[in-house]
């Protein structure tokens, strides 16, 4: 018998980029394929592989609302939702609620799957002290959004054990409501392992190399595959929300059919859908039939798509991020914005008639984990408040950058004070050469706008420059007022 000793040291920054960083635990073997591509098939999703009872609950077909992927006049904007109720919630997140446990270990586990599983079981046998715990997954986005003054709810599942209570306490402390996805009629034993809160073990060795693992990595089925339908409470939460946020990691927990059902219901309820496929987009596009169909549904029916430049290229085969974004818009049914995250350079917002660019803010980066989630939260803030697009990018870049100055995600994501401080400093990473080369093509749009350090606004035949000074003067009053308008969860 082999014994493995794990030393529990205080948490350390665990997502700092390093030449030694690599993924020890590959994500979800059920998603791993040698090739990936995006096929925009007709939008029709049916959960063929589930039981008859599940299939009846999850059968969805967007094509009945948009038979030609457009309205009668050939415009996707002619399409109307079936119902639009009172929207008293700003953002609802779907699934992907987990507890990150950050540990320093003497060595990372071996590559053999059985040995890795045994290693994780050993870690799980004795829960580490709470100093190693942090809220993870979609909690990052919800917390960042709540700190901007948005009313947020988290839709998902947590177990009845200490980890589940920890997540509930963190969300409550941040003013975020929780709507459980459990079906009261399910026959699943609440004490079973498949019912427990999903844990993500973040392991760091003395060389700062990282390993990530959860029980979802060792199963061909999602962690909560026993979920078969949306409860009445979940449907109410979606209907009452202005935005439903989904990401690719939700497929680790929920079946493609359940995710598709949530998307379908959001469309019918007139709830805007934000989708960030993340690294999962590539593997989902080469996954099972149900996974590909659910991904296709999300890409077509989301109002806002958020991707890195690499992810946009992976899904479209187009290297230029603007052209890739335009292709996603072209293939979309309800898509209004495609936002491409350019990492330390900034971000781009692409619509059918315009392109907006915003360079990143200069900061001392400590840890990049949670930056993307924080960025999404600020995009939702700008979307809900109908802010100018370049202002929305500016505040999103600032919130993401503010998170990067801290250590870790969860409760460590950006707070308003730090965001206001960063925006007030008005220190952009100006890289005119990069941005000029990027937009030096004929994209066939009416307007290209860029955030600039220029003191006054200016434009030529090709580019409209908006001064950072002007944007800051418009953002600061909104952000400062948000400090006094934190909404109380319903």
């Amino acid at each position: 018998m082999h014994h493995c000793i794990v030393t529990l040291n205080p948490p350390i920054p665990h997502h700092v980029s390093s030449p030694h960083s690599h993924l020890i635990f590959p994500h979800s073997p059920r998603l791993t394929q040698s090739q990936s591509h995006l096929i925009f098939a007709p939008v029709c999703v049916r959960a063929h592989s589930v039981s008859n009872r599940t299939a009846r609950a999850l059968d969805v077909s967007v094509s009945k609302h948009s038979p030609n992927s457009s309205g009668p006049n050939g415009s996707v904007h002619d399409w109307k939702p079936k119902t639009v109720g009172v929207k008293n919630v700003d953002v609802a997140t779907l699934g992907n609620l987990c507890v990150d446990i950050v540990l320093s270990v003497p060595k990372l586990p071996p590559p053999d799957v059985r040995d890795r599983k045994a290693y994780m079981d050993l870690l799980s046998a004795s829960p580490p002290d709470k100093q190693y715990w942090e809220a993870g997954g979609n909690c990052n986005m919800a917390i960042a959004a709540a700190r901007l003054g948005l009313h947020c709810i988290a839709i998902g599942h947590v177990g009845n054990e200490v980890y589940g209570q920890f997540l509930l306490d963190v969300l409550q402390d941040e003013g975020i409501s929780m709507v459980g996805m459990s079906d009261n009629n399910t026959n699943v034993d609440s004490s079973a392992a498949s019912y427990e809160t999903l844990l993500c073990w973040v392991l760091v060795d003395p060389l700062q190399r990282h390993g990530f693992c959860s029980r979802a990595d060792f199963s061909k089925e999602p962690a909560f595959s026993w979920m078969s339908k949306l409860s009445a409470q979940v449907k109410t939460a979606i209907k009452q929300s202005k935005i439903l946020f989904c990401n690719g990691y939700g497929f680790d927990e929920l079946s493609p059919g359940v995710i598709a059902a949530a998307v379908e219901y959001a469309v019918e309820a007139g709830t805007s859908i934000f989708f960030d496929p993340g690294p999962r987009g590539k593997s989902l596009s080469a996954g099972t039939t149900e996974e590909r169909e659910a991904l296709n549904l999300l890409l077509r029916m989301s109002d806002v798509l958020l991707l890195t430049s690499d992810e946009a290229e992976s899904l479209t085969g187009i290297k230029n991020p603007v052209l890739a974004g335009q292709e996603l818009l072209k293939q979309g049914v309800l898509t209004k914005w495609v936002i491409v995250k350019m990492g330390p350079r900034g971000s781009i917002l692409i619509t059918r008639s315009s392109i907006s660019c915003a360079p990143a803010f200069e900061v001392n980066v400590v840890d990049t984990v949670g930056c993307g989630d924080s960025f999404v939260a600020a995009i939702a803030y700008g979307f809900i408040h109908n802010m100018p697009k370049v202002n929305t990018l500016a505040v999103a870049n600032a919130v993401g950058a503010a998170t990067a100055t801290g250590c870790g995600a969860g409760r460590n994501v950006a707070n308003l004070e730090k965001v206001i401080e960063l925006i007030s400093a008005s220190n952009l990473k100006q890289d005119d050469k990069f941005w000029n080369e990027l937009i030096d093509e004929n994209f066939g749009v009416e307007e290209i706008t860029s955030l600039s350090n220029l003191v006054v606004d200016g434009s030529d035949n090709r580019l409209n420059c908006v001064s950072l000074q002007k944007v800051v003067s418009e953002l600061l009053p909104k952000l400062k007022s948000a400090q006094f308008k934190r909404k109380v969860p319903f």
Side-chain angles (χ1 to χ4, degrees):
M1 179 181 296
H2 298 283
H3 297 278
C4 180
I5 300 173
V6 179
T7 304
L8 305 184
N9 295 324
I12 60 176
H14 54 280
H15 284 268
V16 179
S17 297
S18 163
H20 304 295
S21 298
H22 62 283
L23 190 63
I24 298 299
F25 292 98
H27 290 299
S28 294
R30 61 192 173 86
L31 302 181
T32 303
Q33 298 284 344
S34 60
Q35 296 179 343
S36 66
H37 58 280
L38 177 62
I39 301 176
F40 284 102
V43 184
C44 183
V45 176
R46 285 181 168 80
H48 299 291
S49 64
V50 294
S51 67
N52 290 337
R53 176 176 65 86
T54 302
R56 286 197 298 271
L58 303 182
D59 187 23
V60 296
S61 178
V62 178
S63 56
K64 68 190 177 199
H65 304 306
S66 51
N68 300 310
S69 297
S70 64
N73 297 322
S75 167
V76 297
H77 301 295
D78 294 325
W79 185 91
K80 301 294 183 185
K82 277 190 171 181
T83 60
V84 179
V86 176
K87 306 287 187 184
N88 55 12
V89 176
D90 291 315
V91 178
T93 62
L94 180 67
N96 191 217
L97 302 180
C98 63
V99 175
D100 287 346
I101 300 181
V102 188
L103 299 177
S104 297
V105 295
K107 63 179 181 178
L108 295 176
D112 181 77
V113 174
R114 288 176 298 180
D115 289 344
R116 285 188 281 126
K117 178 65 166 60
Y119 192 96
M120 190 188 73
D121 290 341
L122 178 65
L123 293 172
S124 304
S126 179
D129 188 85
K130 278 190 176 181
Q131 67 175 311
Y132 306 103
W133 303 4
E134 192 48 78
N138 274 345
C139 295
N140 300 332
M141 191 276 190
I143 292 172
R147 291 180 179 181
L148 288 170
L150 298 182
H151 181 185
C152 301
I153 57 176
I155 300 172
H157 173 75
V158 297
N160 297 324
E161 73 301 285
V162 291
Y163 296 113
Q165 189 58 53
F166 168 75
L167 273 187
L168 292 176
D169 290 343
V170 169
L171 293 173
Q172 183 177 24
D173 289 346
E174 295 288 342
I176 301 166
S177 299
M178 166 80 186
V179 177
M181 293 191 71
S182 302
D183 182 355
N184 292 331
N185 296 321
T186 184
N187 294 320
V188 176
D189 180 2
S190 62
S191 63
S194 61
Y195 198 86
E196 294 174 355
T197 304
L198 192 63
L199 306 183
C200 180
W201 298 87
V202 183
L203 310 174
V204 189
D205 74 1
L207 297 178
Q208 298 279 305
R209 295 179 299 181
H210 306 83
F212 308 90
C213 65
S214 73
R215 71 172 186 270
D217 298 327
F218 301 98
S219 172
K220 294 182 179 180
E221 299 294 329
F224 306 136
S225 58
W226 46 266
M227 289 187 190
S228 62
K229 61 183 179 180
L230 303 179
S231 68
Q233 292 87 349
V234 169
K235 288 184 177 180
T236 298
I238 293 173
K239 189 173 184 178
Q240 291 181 344
S241 299
K242 297 171 186 173
I243 291 172
L244 177 68
F245 174 65
C246 310
N247 67 17
Y249 289 110
F251 286 83
D252 288 351
E253 293 183 0
L254 308 174
S255 72
V258 168
I259 293 173
V263 171
E264 169 76 0
Y265 190 78
V267 169
E268 291 192 5
T271 296
S272 297
I273 301 169
F274 278 42
F275 178 49
D276 186 341
R280 287 290 188 273
K282 182 176 182 178
S283 49
L284 288 170
S285 66
T288 66
T289 299
E290 290 78 12
E291 287 167 345
R292 294 196 307 272
E293 289 178 339
L295 173 65
N296 184 33
L297 181 72
L298 277 160
L299 290 172
R300 283 179 176 261
M301 305 309 289
S302 293
D303 297 74
V304 177
L305 294 174
L306 306 107
L307 318 89
T308 66
S309 55
D310 288 342
E311 291 161 1
E313 180 181 358
S314 173
L315 290 175
T316 64
I318 300 172
K319 188 170 183 61
N320 184 294
V322 176
L323 293 175
Q326 289 181 323
E327 178 62 21
L328 290 167
L329 279 167
K330 178 182 177 182
Q331 299 292 347
V333 175
L334 299 180
T335 316
K336 300 176 180 66
W337 292 359
V338 174
I339 295 171
V340 182
K341 297 172 281 187
M342 303 297 292
R345 294 189 183 276
S347 55
I348 308 168
L349 193 161
I350 304 144
T351 73
R352 296 178 188 276
S353 62
S354 68
I355 300 166
S356 302
C357 308
F361 287 88
E362 288 275 9
V363 294
N364 179 27
V365 176
V366 175
D367 190 357
T368 59
V369 65
C371 293
D373 300 316
S374 303
F375 177 92
V376 174
I379 293 293
Y381 177 85
F383 184 88
I384 287 172
H385 289 94
N386 199 27
M387 289 166 48
K389 298 176 185 65
V390 75
N391 292 33
T392 298
L393 288 181
V395 71
N397 288 349
V399 174
T403 293
T405 63
C407 178
R411 294 163 294 178
N412 301 310
V413 300
N415 57 51
L416 262 177
E417 290 73 20
K418 182 64 180 179
V419 173
I420 291 171
E421 174 189 334
L422 199 157
I423 289 178
S424 300
S426 302
N427 189 11
L428 283 184
K429 279 185 178 180
Q430 199 71 38
D431 188 347
D432 293 336
K433 183 175 183 293
F434 169 78
W435 292 107
N436 287 335
E437 289 179 352
L438 181 68
I439 62 176
D440 191 24
E441 287 196 40
N442 181 11
F443 296 114
V445 296
E446 299 171 7
E447 181 182 52
I448 300 177
T449 303
S450 179
L451 185 65
S452 171
N453 274 324
L454 294 174
V455 176
V456 295
D457 295 350
S459 63
D460 54 30
N461 293 330
R462 190 169 56 90
L463 181 65
N464 176 38
C465 292
V466 177
S467 75
L468 176 61
Q469 185 181 56
K470 176 178 182 291
V471 171
V472 168
S473 69
E474 295 169 350
L475 287 178
L476 285 180
K478 291 182 180 293
L479 294 175
K480 288 178 179 178
S481 69
Q483 292 177 295
F484 305 101
K485 295 181 180 179
R486 288 290 297 272
K487 300 177 182 177
V488 179
F490 68 90

